[in-house]
Amino acid sequence: IIMIAGLLGNITIYLINTFIRSYGNIYDVGYYQSATTVTTQCTALVFTALATDYFPHLASLKDNFQKTLQLVNQEGEIVLLLCAPLTILLIIFAPLIVRVLLTEDFDVIVPVIQMMAITFMMRAVFFPLDYIYIANGDKTFFFWIEGIFLNLKMLIIMISGYYLYGLEGLGYAIIINGFIDIIASIMLIKWRYGITYNKKYYAVLLPCFIINICALAAALLLDGMTSWGVMIALGVVQITFSLIEINK
């Protein structure tokens, strides 16, 4: 089931690329793929490492509701507090990363990478929830949600974003897609299993989101040293906040 869902995800990406090539041009396909690759390279290792420990632990507790609830909230906090500083660092240093990994011809994808960075933190929100389907062996529900609904939704949103606003629209689309993923995951997991995040988690989530959204706004709306100054100040605040909360 996981393999089939993954295959449908790959088909979705192929269809998005095909639409970009047909409606736009081959250069935009390259830009989009480069932005996705850079963002993935900077973030994939974190989720892979966390899943290696989290999934077996979650599966072993599937018959104990209270311990599962506690584990999901603990994992949610840790993932968020690790991802939030990395998100803001990716927003700040996206221009440098593009110059190091690619060339100045790809500077056009810097705003797209910065918008995609926000979805890294969004994924941190629904990451601990999505594994609950698999840990409970809920294969049919997992297939319809992860394989069909999420991929179909992503296809529609990404195509609409590019159709309306071009390459930058893909960045807007991926943020909208991330917000919907968060809402869908929280609602479906609560409805299906009665598991949800507690108030302590949201007390950590809200500051992290505000800080990172403000950093993204500074990157997209401000110019020059003003932009850098605001982003670096917010970066220091975010890293300090995460270190304090992790230490607790």
Side-chain angles (χ1 to χ4, degrees):
I1 293 296
I2 294 173
M3 290 176 63
I4 294 171
L7 176 61
L8 291 173
N10 289 333
I11 292 173
T12 300
I13 293 171
Y14 174 77
L15 291 174
I16 292 170
N17 288 336
T18 301
F19 179 81
I20 295 171
R21 173 66 184 90
S22 301
Y23 184 76
N25 55 69
I26 193 66
Y27 298 105
D28 282 354
V29 176
Y31 289 139
Y32 170 61
Q33 285 299 307
S34 298
T36 302
T37 301
V38 168
T39 309
T40 302
Q41 285 178 338
C42 294
T43 60
L45 186 61
V46 176
F47 291 114
T48 302
L50 289 166
T52 303
D53 171 75
Y54 174 59
F55 174 64
H57 197 181
L58 183 65
S60 69
L61 297 176
K62 69 182 182 67
D63 295 323
N64 190 319
F65 177 79
Q66 289 301 325
K67 287 188 176 181
T68 298
L69 187 62
Q70 182 182 15
L71 175 64
V72 169
N73 277 276
Q74 288 177 343
E75 184 75 9
E77 283 188 51
I78 292 297
V79 174
L80 183 62
L81 291 170
L82 289 175
C83 290
L86 293 174
T87 297
I88 205 164
L89 289 173
L90 185 54
I91 292 172
I92 295 170
F93 294 109
L96 178 62
I97 293 170
V98 168
R99 290 298 182 94
V100 171
L101 297 180
L102 303 168
T103 68
E104 61 182 19
D105 295 332
F106 286 84
D107 284 348
V108 67
I109 68 172
V110 169
V112 180
I113 291 175
Q114 290 169 327
M115 285 186 274
M116 285 183 173
I118 288 292
T119 64
F120 175 45
M121 192 171 62
M122 290 179 177
R123 187 181 174 193
V125 178
F126 58 79
F127 165 84
L129 300 176
D130 286 353
Y131 274 90
I132 296 174
Y133 303 127
I134 310 171
N136 283 275
D138 203 347
K139 293 179 287 187
T140 302
F141 195 68
F142 172 83
F143 173 76
W144 283 107
I145 299 300
E146 297 284 338
I148 303 298
F149 170 69
L150 294 182
N151 283 316
L152 184 60
K153 166 190 59 67
M154 180 179 176
L155 178 63
I156 294 171
I157 292 173
M158 296 299 287
I159 286 177
S160 299
Y162 184 75
Y163 178 80
L164 294 173
Y165 300 107
L167 188 63
E168 198 167 292
L170 294 173
Y172 301 139
I174 205 165
I175 291 176
I176 294 170
N177 185 67
F179 271 116
I180 296 175
D181 282 344
I182 289 174
I183 295 169
S185 291
I186 291 175
M187 292 180 64
L188 288 169
I189 292 297
K190 184 176 182 180
W191 167 72
R192 187 81 171 177
Y193 307 105
I195 295 173
T196 188
Y197 288 130
N198 56 30
K199 292 181 180 178
K200 183 184 175 186
Y201 175 83
Y202 288 108
V204 173
L205 173 65
L206 188 59
C208 290
F209 255 107
I210 291 173
I211 293 168
N212 277 272
I213 290 294
C214 288
L216 178 62
L220 299 178
L221 302 177
L222 301 179
D223 297 320
M225 293 305 296
T226 304
S227 176
W228 277 97
V230 172
M231 287 192 295
I232 290 173
L234 290 168
V236 171
V237 172
Q238 178 62 76
I239 291 171
T240 303
F241 177 79
S242 289
L243 288 174
I244 291 171
E245 291 298 322
I246 289 174
N247 189 51
K248 289 179 182 179

